[in-house]
Amino acid sequence: TEQYAHQVENTFKKVLDHPLSTFGVDVDTASYSNMRRFLNGHRLPPAGAIRIEEMVNYFTYDYKEPKGDIPFSVNTEIATCPWNRKHRLLQVGLLGKKVSVDDMPPANLVFLLDVSGSMNSPNKLPLLKQSFKVLLKKLRPQDRVAIAVYAGSAGLALPSTPCTDDGKKKIENALFSLRAGGSTAGGAGIKLAYNVALANMSKKANNRVILATDGDFNVGVSSDSELVKLIEDRRDKGVFLTVLALGTGNVKDAKMELLADKGNGNYGYIDTLKEAKKVLGAEISGTLLTIAKDVKLQLEFNPQKVAAYRLIGYENRLMAKEDFNDDKKDSGDMGAGHTVTALYEIVPNGQSVPGGEVDELRYQKRVVSTEAAASKELVTVKLRFKKPLGKRSRKVVFPVLDKGRAFDDASENLRWAAMVAQFGQLLRNSKFKGTGSCEQVYEFAEQAKGKDLNGYRQEFLDLVEKATPLLAKR
């Protein structure tokens, strides 16, 4: 009963018709670990499970550190596109300000845990308990944890408890005493968890609900619109939401992503204890601490340099161009230390644009006449963001030049991200995959692997090898 949203892949946009590309950031990583689960089971993932931006953003990149009062750095690079050598590839990378666990504000957390009957398998509730034990070890005496559960009905398994040594023992005992059974009153559980978080809320604290589930909601408030309304209301009061999916056979991927997005949080998929140690251990500050919310990007392409462009991924993060300056429009959020990477495939002027021809306009001609258009600028990158509890956004602007760099001369950042994106295109059987192949992905990714201290990049190479025979049979 797993469910994935249908995605219409981004196509090439002619710059004269669409000079602006606008989207919200995405720091979710669920698509990558879910893809890994399928390939480790010797199956290709469904196309709807592949969100290329989440695959690219699963990895960290060697971007420059933020400076000044902007909570993230902006990094850009352009090189030859490896799957279509006539095109260029633009990388835009953000690195959020890093905050150590010791320097984080106090945490007011509510673990909202699914203990319904469907969680009664080794890769669900037992993995959930071990995963939250990883998080518990990272918490400090000034942090607080409550545990709310839901099955046939919702209940409070543990009131808000400080994470002192004695408190952690109480929290761990309550966690490991949970048993699975019953149907899934997810909506009631979310209401209870938010009420507990609000009752213990502090404006100086990181107030957050962490929902862990195999993805189903089948009793009570369960429609997307009702859940979204509930979560948006609590979000506006300062309580954010992190969503963690576990297990197989019941994942409601689209719903989990939607809830996390509307809750100013992130969405992860825990397929192994190793992944739990990544999300709830090594990257805990990014998972729990939001440093900027409603982060939007808008790129303006120079029609004298660019005939057309294609944003790779971010299909469900696209925004109208007017939304960029509208502070009422919700967008993605960044956690401490998070990296966000976006890739654009660019068709230089003079090249034919894939996707067919359009008749010339009868009533108007578009003429490029500005001084900036005659400059060497290829594109201007604009960003907007708000402080975590702010209501007004701030804008920063970065013009970008193309220095003509070849792909082989590009940084490890661009080469690695390009290969992860190319692999995603192969898994989705994208019509834009060009000359890409698993063999090319493996060769170029291995050259760009870098130090790989945690082994995540070698694991990617292993997944490419597992996918190669599966894709050959498709």
Short mmCIF file of all heavy atoms in Angstrom, two decimals, residues 422-460:
data_model
loop_
_atom_site.label_atom_id
_atom_site.label_comp_id
_atom_site.label_asym_id
_atom_site.label_seq_id
_atom_site.Cartn_x
_atom_site.Cartn_y
_atom_site.Cartn_z
N GLN A 422 22.53 12.69 -12.30
CA GLN A 422 22.46 11.84 -13.48
C GLN A 422 21.92 10.46 -13.12
O GLN A 422 21.12 9.88 -13.86
CB GLN A 422 23.84 11.71 -14.12
CG GLN A 422 23.84 10.92 -15.42
CD GLN A 422 25.17 11.01 -16.16
OE1 GLN A 422 25.79 12.06 -16.19
NE2 GLN A 422 25.59 9.91 -16.75
N PHE A 423 22.33 9.94 -11.98
CA PHE A 423 21.82 8.64 -11.52
C PHE A 423 20.31 8.72 -11.28
O PHE A 423 19.56 7.80 -11.65
CB PHE A 423 22.55 8.22 -10.24
CG PHE A 423 22.22 6.84 -9.77
CD1 PHE A 423 22.27 5.76 -10.63
CD2 PHE A 423 21.87 6.62 -8.44
CE1 PHE A 423 21.98 4.47 -10.19
CE2 PHE A 423 21.58 5.35 -7.99
CZ PHE A 423 21.63 4.26 -8.86
N GLY A 424 19.86 9.82 -10.68
CA GLY A 424 18.43 10.00 -10.47
C GLY A 424 17.67 10.04 -11.79
O GLY A 424 16.57 9.48 -11.91
N GLN A 425 18.25 10.68 -12.79
CA GLN A 425 17.61 10.74 -14.10
C GLN A 425 17.52 9.35 -14.73
O GLN A 425 16.51 9.01 -15.37
CB GLN A 425 18.38 11.70 -15.02
CG GLN A 425 18.26 13.15 -14.60
CD GLN A 425 19.04 14.11 -15.48
OE1 GLN A 425 18.61 15.24 -15.71
NE2 GLN A 425 20.17 13.70 -16.01
N LEU A 426 18.54 8.53 -14.53
CA LEU A 426 18.51 7.17 -15.05
C LEU A 426 17.44 6.35 -14.34
O LEU A 426 16.70 5.58 -14.98
CB LEU A 426 19.88 6.51 -14.89
CG LEU A 426 21.01 7.10 -15.74
CD1 LEU A 426 22.36 6.51 -15.31
CD2 LEU A 426 20.77 6.85 -17.22
N LEU A 427 17.34 6.49 -13.01
CA LEU A 427 16.33 5.75 -12.27
C LEU A 427 14.92 6.16 -12.68
O LEU A 427 14.00 5.33 -12.73
CB LEU A 427 16.52 5.96 -10.76
CG LEU A 427 17.78 5.34 -10.14
CD1 LEU A 427 17.90 5.75 -8.68
CD2 LEU A 427 17.75 3.82 -10.26
N ARG A 428 14.73 7.43 -12.99
CA ARG A 428 13.42 7.93 -13.42
C ARG A 428 13.18 7.71 -14.90
O ARG A 428 12.10 8.00 -15.40
CB ARG A 428 13.29 9.42 -13.10
CG ARG A 428 13.14 9.73 -11.64
CD ARG A 428 12.92 11.21 -11.39
NE ARG A 428 11.68 11.69 -11.99
CZ ARG A 428 11.18 12.90 -11.78
NH1 ARG A 428 11.79 13.73 -10.97
NH2 ARG A 428 10.07 13.28 -12.35
N ASN A 429 14.20 7.22 -15.60
CA ASN A 429 14.14 7.06 -17.06
C ASN A 429 13.77 8.40 -17.72
O ASN A 429 12.90 8.48 -18.59
CB ASN A 429 13.14 5.97 -17.47
CG ASN A 429 13.36 5.49 -18.89
OD1 ASN A 429 14.45 5.64 -19.44
ND2 ASN A 429 12.33 4.93 -19.49
N SER A 430 14.45 9.43 -17.29
CA SER A 430 14.17 10.79 -17.76
C SER A 430 14.44 10.91 -19.26
O SER A 430 15.40 10.37 -19.79
CB SER A 430 15.06 11.79 -17.00
OG SER A 430 15.05 13.05 -17.63
N LYS A 431 13.60 11.67 -19.92
CA LYS A 431 13.81 11.92 -21.34
C LYS A 431 15.00 12.86 -21.57
O LYS A 431 15.42 13.07 -22.70
CB LYS A 431 12.56 12.50 -21.98
CG LYS A 431 12.12 13.85 -21.44
CD LYS A 431 10.83 14.30 -22.13
CE LYS A 431 10.33 15.64 -21.60
NZ LYS A 431 9.07 16.07 -22.25
N PHE A 432 15.54 13.42 -20.48
CA PHE A 432 16.68 14.33 -20.59
C PHE A 432 17.99 13.66 -20.15
O PHE A 432 18.98 14.35 -19.93
CB PHE A 432 16.45 15.58 -19.75
CG PHE A 432 15.21 16.34 -20.13
CD1 PHE A 432 14.13 16.41 -19.26
CD2 PHE A 432 15.12 16.96 -21.36
CE1 PHE A 432 12.99 17.12 -19.61
CE2 PHE A 432 13.97 17.66 -21.72
CZ PHE A 432 12.90 17.74 -20.84
N LYS A 433 18.00 12.33 -20.01
CA LYS A 433 19.20 11.65 -19.51
C LYS A 433 20.35 11.69 -20.50
O LYS A 433 21.50 11.44 -20.12
CB LYS A 433 18.87 10.21 -19.13
CG LYS A 433 18.39 9.36 -20.29
CD LYS A 433 17.94 7.99 -19.82
CE LYS A 433 17.42 7.15 -20.99
NZ LYS A 433 16.92 5.84 -20.55
N GLY A 434 20.07 12.00 -21.75
CA GLY A 434 21.12 12.18 -22.76
C GLY A 434 22.01 10.97 -22.90
O GLY A 434 21.53 9.84 -23.00
N THR A 435 23.32 11.19 -22.87
CA THR A 435 24.28 10.11 -23.02
C THR A 435 24.63 9.44 -21.69
O THR A 435 25.57 8.64 -21.62
CB THR A 435 25.58 10.64 -23.66
OG1 THR A 435 26.14 11.65 -22.80
CG2 THR A 435 25.32 11.23 -25.04
N GLY A 436 23.90 9.77 -20.65
CA GLY A 436 24.21 9.24 -19.33
C GLY A 436 24.05 7.73 -19.26
O GLY A 436 23.21 7.14 -19.92
N SER A 437 24.87 7.11 -18.42
CA SER A 437 24.81 5.66 -18.19
C SER A 437 25.33 5.39 -16.78
O SER A 437 26.04 6.22 -16.19
CB SER A 437 25.66 4.91 -19.20
OG SER A 437 27.04 5.21 -19.02
N CYS A 438 25.00 4.21 -16.25
CA CYS A 438 25.51 3.85 -14.93
C CYS A 438 27.03 3.75 -14.93
O CYS A 438 27.69 4.10 -13.94
CB CYS A 438 24.90 2.52 -14.48
SG CYS A 438 23.21 2.65 -13.87
N GLU A 439 27.58 3.30 -16.04
CA GLU A 439 29.03 3.19 -16.14
C GLU A 439 29.69 4.57 -16.04
O GLU A 439 30.71 4.74 -15.36
CB GLU A 439 29.41 2.51 -17.46
CG GLU A 439 29.03 1.03 -17.55
CD GLU A 439 27.54 0.79 -17.80
OE1 GLU A 439 26.84 1.76 -18.18
OE2 GLU A 439 27.07 -0.34 -17.58
N GLN A 440 29.09 5.56 -16.71
CA GLN A 440 29.62 6.91 -16.63
C GLN A 440 29.45 7.48 -15.23
O GLN A 440 30.37 8.13 -14.69
CB GLN A 440 28.92 7.81 -17.64
CG GLN A 440 29.50 9.22 -17.71
CD GLN A 440 28.67 10.15 -18.57
OE1 GLN A 440 27.48 10.33 -18.34
NE2 GLN A 440 29.31 10.75 -19.58
N VAL A 441 28.29 7.25 -14.62
CA VAL A 441 28.06 7.73 -13.25
C VAL A 441 29.12 7.17 -12.32
O VAL A 441 29.73 7.90 -11.52
CB VAL A 441 26.64 7.34 -12.77
CG1 VAL A 441 26.51 7.60 -11.27
CG2 VAL A 441 25.58 8.12 -13.53
N TYR A 442 29.36 5.86 -12.41
CA TYR A 442 30.33 5.23 -11.50
C TYR A 442 31.73 5.80 -11.72
O TYR A 442 32.43 6.14 -10.76
CB TYR A 442 30.34 3.72 -11.70
CG TYR A 442 31.12 2.99 -10.63
CD1 TYR A 442 30.46 2.44 -9.54
CD2 TYR A 442 32.50 2.87 -10.69
CE1 TYR A 442 31.16 1.78 -8.53
CE2 TYR A 442 33.21 2.22 -9.69
CZ TYR A 442 32.54 1.68 -8.62
OH TYR A 442 33.24 1.04 -7.62
N GLU A 443 32.14 5.91 -12.99
CA GLU A 443 33.49 6.38 -13.30
C GLU A 443 33.72 7.80 -12.79
O GLU A 443 34.71 8.08 -12.09
CB GLU A 443 33.73 6.33 -14.81
CG GLU A 443 35.09 6.86 -15.23
CD GLU A 443 35.26 6.95 -16.73
OE1 GLU A 443 34.35 6.49 -17.47
OE2 GLU A 443 36.29 7.50 -17.19
N PHE A 444 32.80 8.71 -13.13
CA PHE A 444 32.99 10.11 -12.75
C PHE A 444 32.77 10.33 -11.26
O PHE A 444 33.45 11.16 -10.65
CB PHE A 444 32.06 11.01 -13.57
CG PHE A 444 32.43 11.12 -15.03
CD1 PHE A 444 31.56 11.71 -15.93
CD2 PHE A 444 33.64 10.66 -15.50
CE1 PHE A 444 31.89 11.82 -17.28
CE2 PHE A 444 33.99 10.77 -16.82
CZ PHE A 444 33.11 11.34 -17.72
N ALA A 445 31.84 9.61 -10.67
CA ALA A 445 31.59 9.76 -9.23
C ALA A 445 32.77 9.24 -8.42
O ALA A 445 33.15 9.83 -7.40
CB ALA A 445 30.31 9.04 -8.83
N GLU A 446 33.37 8.15 -8.87
CA GLU A 446 34.53 7.62 -8.15
C GLU A 446 35.68 8.63 -8.16
O GLU A 446 36.39 8.79 -7.17
CB GLU A 446 34.98 6.31 -8.80
CG GLU A 446 36.07 5.59 -8.01
CD GLU A 446 36.42 4.23 -8.62
OE1 GLU A 446 36.45 4.15 -9.86
OE2 GLU A 446 36.64 3.30 -7.85
N GLN A 447 35.83 9.36 -9.27
CA GLN A 447 36.88 10.38 -9.36
C GLN A 447 36.59 11.58 -8.47
O GLN A 447 37.51 12.30 -8.07
CB GLN A 447 37.01 10.83 -10.82
CG GLN A 447 37.51 9.75 -11.77
CD GLN A 447 37.41 10.15 -13.23
OE1 GLN A 447 37.02 11.27 -13.55
NE2 GLN A 447 37.75 9.24 -14.12
N ALA A 448 35.32 11.81 -8.16
CA ALA A 448 34.92 12.98 -7.36
C ALA A 448 34.58 12.62 -5.92
O ALA A 448 34.06 13.45 -5.18
CB ALA A 448 33.72 13.67 -8.02
N LYS A 449 34.89 11.38 -5.51
CA LYS A 449 34.46 10.90 -4.19
C LYS A 449 35.08 11.69 -3.05
O LYS A 449 34.45 11.91 -2.00
CB LYS A 449 34.79 9.41 -4.05
CG LYS A 449 34.25 8.78 -2.79
CD LYS A 449 34.44 7.27 -2.78
CE LYS A 449 35.87 6.88 -2.57
NZ LYS A 449 36.03 5.43 -2.29
N GLY A 450 36.32 12.15 -3.21
CA GLY A 450 36.96 12.94 -2.16
C GLY A 450 37.28 12.11 -0.93
O GLY A 450 37.46 10.89 -0.99
N LYS A 451 37.32 12.76 0.24
CA LYS A 451 37.74 12.11 1.48
C LYS A 451 36.73 11.08 1.97
O LYS A 451 37.10 10.04 2.50
CB LYS A 451 38.00 13.16 2.56
CG LYS A 451 39.16 14.09 2.24
CD LYS A 451 39.36 15.14 3.33
CE LYS A 451 40.51 16.07 3.00
NZ LYS A 451 40.70 17.12 4.03
N ASP A 452 35.44 11.36 1.88
CA ASP A 452 34.38 10.40 2.23
C ASP A 452 34.57 9.79 3.61
O ASP A 452 34.64 8.57 3.78
CB ASP A 452 34.31 9.31 1.16
CG ASP A 452 33.05 8.45 1.27
OD1 ASP A 452 32.02 8.97 1.75
OD2 ASP A 452 33.10 7.27 0.89
N LEU A 453 34.67 10.64 4.63
CA LEU A 453 34.98 10.18 5.98
C LEU A 453 33.96 9.22 6.55
O LEU A 453 34.30 8.31 7.31
CB LEU A 453 35.12 11.41 6.91
CG LEU A 453 36.25 12.39 6.57
CD1 LEU A 453 36.24 13.57 7.51
CD2 LEU A 453 37.60 11.68 6.60
N ASN A 454 32.68 9.37 6.17
CA ASN A 454 31.63 8.52 6.72
C ASN A 454 31.23 7.37 5.82
O ASN A 454 30.35 6.58 6.17
CB ASN A 454 30.39 9.37 7.04
CG ASN A 454 30.67 10.42 8.09
OD1 ASN A 454 31.10 10.10 9.20
ND2 ASN A 454 30.43 11.69 7.77
N GLY A 455 31.83 7.30 4.63
CA GLY A 455 31.52 6.20 3.73
C GLY A 455 30.23 6.35 2.95
O GLY A 455 29.83 5.42 2.23
N TYR A 456 29.58 7.51 3.02
CA TYR A 456 28.31 7.69 2.32
C TYR A 456 28.50 7.67 0.80
O TYR A 456 27.65 7.15 0.06
CB TYR A 456 27.65 9.00 2.73
CG TYR A 456 27.34 9.13 4.20
CD1 TYR A 456 27.54 10.33 4.87
CD2 TYR A 456 26.84 8.06 4.92
CE1 TYR A 456 27.26 10.46 6.23
CE2 TYR A 456 26.55 8.17 6.28
CZ TYR A 456 26.78 9.37 6.91
OH TYR A 456 26.50 9.49 8.26
N ARG A 457 29.61 8.23 0.34
CA ARG A 457 29.82 8.29 -1.11
C ARG A 457 30.20 6.92 -1.68
O ARG A 457 29.77 6.57 -2.78
CB ARG A 457 30.87 9.36 -1.43
CG ARG A 457 30.41 10.76 -1.04
CD ARG A 457 31.27 11.87 -1.61
NE ARG A 457 30.69 13.18 -1.31
CZ ARG A 457 31.03 14.30 -1.92
NH1 ARG A 457 31.93 14.29 -2.89
NH2 ARG A 457 30.45 15.45 -1.59
N GLN A 458 30.97 6.14 -0.94
CA GLN A 458 31.26 4.78 -1.39
C GLN A 458 29.97 3.97 -1.44
O GLN A 458 29.78 3.15 -2.34
CB GLN A 458 32.27 4.11 -0.46
CG GLN A 458 32.62 2.68 -0.86
CD GLN A 458 33.19 2.59 -2.27
OE1 GLN A 458 34.11 3.31 -2.63
NE2 GLN A 458 32.62 1.69 -3.10
N GLU A 459 29.10 4.18 -0.48
CA GLU A 459 27.81 3.49 -0.49
C GLU A 459 27.01 3.85 -1.75
O GLU A 459 26.36 2.98 -2.34
CB GLU A 459 27.00 3.87 0.75
CG GLU A 459 25.66 3.16 0.85
CD GLU A 459 24.87 3.63 2.05
OE1 GLU A 459 24.57 4.84 2.13
OE2 GLU A 459 24.54 2.79 2.90
N PHE A 460 27.08 5.12 -2.18
CA PHE A 460 26.42 5.52 -3.42
C PHE A 460 26.98 4.73 -4.60
O PHE A 460 26.23 4.25 -5.45
CB PHE A 460 26.60 7.02 -3.65
CG PHE A 460 26.13 7.50 -5.00
CD1 PHE A 460 24.79 7.73 -5.23
CD2 PHE A 460 27.04 7.72 -6.03
CE1 PHE A 460 24.35 8.16 -6.48
CE2 PHE A 460 26.61 8.15 -7.27
CZ PHE A 460 25.27 8.37 -7.50
#
